Amino acid sequence: MTEQGRILGLDYGSKTVGVAVSDPLFITAQGITVITRKHPTKYRQTIAAIREICEEYHITRIVLGLPLGLDGIEGGRCTATREFGSLLEEKLSIPVDYQDERFTTIEAESVIKAGGKKDPHDIKSTVDQAAAVLILETYMLRHGKN
């Protein structure tokens, strides 16, 4: 039996990209890593790392968190995120959807702290990954994937 493709969730930032994957049945999302970006306008290494993850997990769709303003309006960060999404589609030939990511970082920090982490370095090192999980879970709920 061939494994069904999974969905990749990304929390894209200028310095890091949090990464999460769905299980094959689209019931849960698990954080798997944080990709550190060397330069905010260079994408080659970031896309190469994402390509490896897509191949390893048989990714058939990517969900990219869209950093809307509190008023729901798209600003400059959304433009950069959509440009990155277009680049992913072009280089990986995998469709990219967008998911409102307002408050995911705040919620992710709360979840991490509730789990017992108190050291600011520990929180910072895992918050992008946790935000990617929340982005992916929200997407799956919105699209009846779990």
Side-chain angles (χ1 to χ4, degrees):
M1 182 173 153
T2 305
E3 182 176 328
Q4 183 175 345
R6 298 179 186 209
I7 303 172
L8 185 74
L10 300 175
D11 180 34
Y12 171 73
S14 61
K15 296 179 183 175
T16 60
V17 179
V19 183
V21 295
S22 72
D23 68 294
L25 299 175
F26 310 113
I27 296 170
T28 63
Q30 299 84 33
I32 58 169
T33 193
V34 174
I35 299 167
T36 301
R37 301 190 57 224
K38 297 194 189 248
H39 194 277
T41 60
K42 296 189 179 177
Y43 302 103
R44 187 176 53 80
Q45 290 178 329
T46 304
I47 290 175
I50 293 170
R51 178 187 310 277
E52 285 182 27
I53 293 165
C54 288
E55 290 171 358
E56 179 181 349
Y57 289 92
H58 308 286
I59 300 299
T60 58
R61 179 164 306 278
I62 296 171
V63 177
L64 194 52
L66 193 61
L68 299 172
L70 293 178
D71 55 4
I73 303 294
E74 291 192 23
R77 288 186 55 225
C78 287
T79 301
T81 300
R82 287 191 182 277
E83 287 172 1
F84 181 67
S86 293
L87 194 58
L88 286 173
E89 281 185 324
E90 175 189 326
K91 299 291 185 185
L92 303 179
S93 299
I94 297 173
V96 174
D97 287 339
Y98 298 90
Q99 176 60 50
D100 180 358
E101 69 167 25
R102 284 179 286 182
F103 309 113
T104 56
T105 299
I106 293 167
E107 188 176 343
E109 286 177 0
S110 295
V111 169
I112 292 165
K113 288 176 183 175
K117 289 192 180 185
K118 303 294 181 209
D119 183 319
H121 177 72
D122 288 344
I123 293 169
K124 185 172 177 42
S125 69
T126 56
V127 72
D128 295 322
Q129 184 175 315
V133 169
L134 293 171
I135 289 164
L136 183 52
E137 286 177 340
T138 303
Y139 176 86
M140 290 189 304
L141 283 171
R142 215 178 97 221
H143 292 276
K145 299 282 188 192
N146 76 6

